[in-house]
Amino acid sequence: SKVEDIEFYAEDAGRTKNDFLAKVCEEVIKAGATVLNIPDTTGYCLPEEYGEKIKYLKENVKGIHKAIISCHCHNDLGLATANSISGVSNGARQVEVTINGIGERAGNTSLEEVVMIIKQHPSLNLQTSIKSKHLYNTSLLVSELMGIIVQPNKAIIGSNAFAHSSGIHQDGMLKNRET
């Protein structure tokens, strides 16, 4: 009764059995939760598994329409962004992200990757109001303030992201920038 938004965080939901997770989610919605944070805490899930988990919750939790499902994926196995996209493609309405993928251990889902995937793949039927033209400068600011260098081959914002060194790539860019 003190706040409008109550987020429940289901620690290690990625490895939790779906039927048990659904029961827990039903109870926390009854208790007032408005956001169900479904983390892949250890980066364990494959994208198909994580998407199926979100879909299962959408289809099997009584009262699910009263809450927003949120993806919170860690990058321990390099799948945080893929899992997050799979989650929203299967009914989650929120993704918890970080700039440059910073976060515990191998990091969390990268804002810049999620935004650009949504922008480049309209067939996903996903939307964001984030202005992609600000991603690079935001990345530089976070890197500078945190003292964490962005690796050159980091997707979207790394210094090599748009560098073309092989002849065929250069030829394609010269013929058509959309390449």
Side-chain angles (χ1 to χ4, degrees), residues 12-122:
D12 209 12
R15 295 187 294 185
T16 301
K17 293 192 181 306
N18 289 348
D19 59 340
F20 177 74
L21 183 60
K23 289 176 188 173
V24 170
C25 288
E26 277 183 30
E27 293 303 314
V28 298
I29 289 171
K30 286 181 194 173
T34 56
V35 176
L36 302 176
N37 184 318
I38 310 300
D40 184 19
T41 307
T42 59
Y44 171 82
C45 289
L46 293 171
E48 184 175 300
E49 292 173 305
Y50 189 77
E52 287 174 5
K53 184 174 292 289
I54 300 302
K55 184 177 181 184
Y56 183 89
L57 296 175
K58 290 286 290 182
E59 294 175 350
N60 293 282
V61 172
K62 292 178 187 146
I64 194 69
H65 63 281
K66 298 177 186 176
I68 292 171
I69 296 178
S70 178
C71 302
H72 179 101
C73 298
H74 287 256
N75 207 33
D76 299 61
L77 296 176
L79 295 171
T81 299
N83 285 345
S84 296
I85 294 297
S86 184
V88 293
S89 293
N90 281 281
R93 295 187 357 229
Q94 178 174 302
V95 180
E96 297 189 3
V97 296
T98 65
I99 304 295
N100 300 340
I102 60 171
E104 194 172 22
R105 297 180 315 277
N108 294 86
T109 306
S110 294
L111 169 74
E112 58 278 4
E113 293 173 12
V114 170
V115 168
M116 294 311 295
I117 288 169
I118 290 171
K119 184 175 180 169
Q120 294 298 313
H121 294 278

